[in-house]
């Protein structure tokens, strides 16, 4: 996820939004109000459709009123945003089913980031060894390698708690789920020894 997000307000001229997309190589810009709350998104398709309407109704509206002059007139709203703690598999499915190239990340209504298809591909491209190293580093705060056994295969992480205490397992799972490249996490208790 990109945390330093460039966004625009609804009052921004369409030409300025188009220039930002073209200059930065973005496919979409989140649209926020003055408080930083997500109110919409303006995409390449929104901007192109504003100038070259494809439906008869849109063409009639453009002929009567002219094309939209501000982002607020052409943006897609309401917009789908996902919580900052949403599992990457849910984000990926939302992108695929909605045919979106990016999704705004929100905390409540406040825009806190954007995740793109490229972010997901980058995470998927990490090796199991890279993922395992990051997982071990994260687990250092709750017992480290003396407590946890870590196995990683194709982004699927299996943690074995050698202390056989359930108290920190939910914390461990949440920490590990935040590691780029992790697809799923299973937390198990070590088998009892006799």
């Amino acid at each position: 996820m990109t945390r330093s997000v460039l966004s625009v307000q609804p009052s921004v001229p369409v030409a300025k939004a188009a220039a930002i997309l073209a200059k930065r190589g973005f496919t979409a810009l989140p649209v926020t109000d003055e408080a930083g709350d997500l109110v919409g998104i303006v995409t390449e398709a929104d901007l192109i459709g504003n100038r070259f309407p494809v439906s008869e109704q849109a063409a009639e509206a453009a002929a009567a009123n002219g094309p939209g002059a501000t982002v607020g007139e052409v943006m897609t709203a309401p917009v789908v945003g996902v919580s900052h703690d949403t599992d990457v598999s849910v984000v990926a499915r939302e992108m695929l089913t909605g045919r979106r190239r990016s999704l705004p990340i929100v905390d409540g209504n406040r825009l806190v980031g954007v995740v793109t298809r490229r972010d997901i591909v980058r995470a998927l491209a990490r090796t199991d060894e890279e993922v395992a190293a990051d997982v071990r580093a994260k687990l250092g705060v709750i017992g480290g390698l003396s407590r946890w056994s870590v196995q990683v295969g194709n982004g699927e992480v299996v943690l074995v708690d050698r202390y056989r205490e359930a108290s920190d397992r939910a914390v461990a799972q949440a920490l590990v789920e935040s590691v780029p490249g992790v697809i799923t996490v299973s937390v198990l208790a070590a088998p009892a020894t006799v």
Side-chain angles (χ1 to χ4, degrees):
M1 168 176 88
T2 302
R3 292 184 189 276
S4 56
V5 180
L6 182 60
S7 63
V8 293
Q9 292 188 346
S11 60
V12 168
V14 166
K16 184 173 181 180
I20 292 169
L21 290 177
K23 180 179 179 183
R24 300 288 184 115
F26 298 160
T27 60
L29 282 170
V31 182
T32 58
D33 62 16
E34 291 179 9
D37 289 344
L38 183 67
V39 296
I41 194 162
V42 63
T43 67
E44 293 169 324
D46 294 328
L47 297 175
I48 293 169
N50 179 50
R51 299 293 266 177
F52 306 100
V54 293
S55 74
E56 196 172 303
Q57 184 180 12
E60 288 173 7
N65 305 321
T70 66
V71 166
E73 294 174 277
V74 302
M75 71 182 184
T76 299
V79 64
V80 173
V82 294
S83 174
H84 62 282
D85 59 356
T86 302
D87 188 88
V88 70
S89 64
V90 173
V91 173
R93 283 188 197 100
E94 180 64 37
M95 290 174 129
L96 291 172
T97 59
R99 294 187 173 177
R100 294 178 180 89
R101 294 182 182 185
S102 62
L103 280 177
I105 307 299
V106 291
D107 186 359
N109 290 329
R110 180 168 292 281
L111 179 68
V112 295
V114 170
V115 66
T116 65
R117 288 181 184 176
R118 183 170 294 149
D119 293 330
I120 293 174
V121 169
R122 217 177 279 129
L124 293 173
R126 298 188 76 207
T127 66
D128 289 341
E129 292 78 20
E130 291 170 321
V131 172
D134 283 357
V135 165
R136 288 182 184 101
K138 290 271 188 182
L139 293 174
V141 297
I142 52 173
L145 297 181
S146 64
R147 178 170 183 177
W148 304 98
S149 168
V150 177
Q151 300 168 351
V152 180
N154 294 320
E156 297 177 4
V157 178
V158 177
L159 302 177
V160 178
D161 183 359
R162 292 185 182 121
Y163 292 172
R164 301 187 59 223
E165 295 177 20
S167 59
D168 291 336
R169 290 189 195 139
V171 174
Q173 182 163 352
L175 286 171
V176 172
E177 285 173 343
S178 72
V179 172
V182 170
I183 306 299
T184 62
V185 180
S186 300
V187 184
L188 310 170
T193 56
V194 204

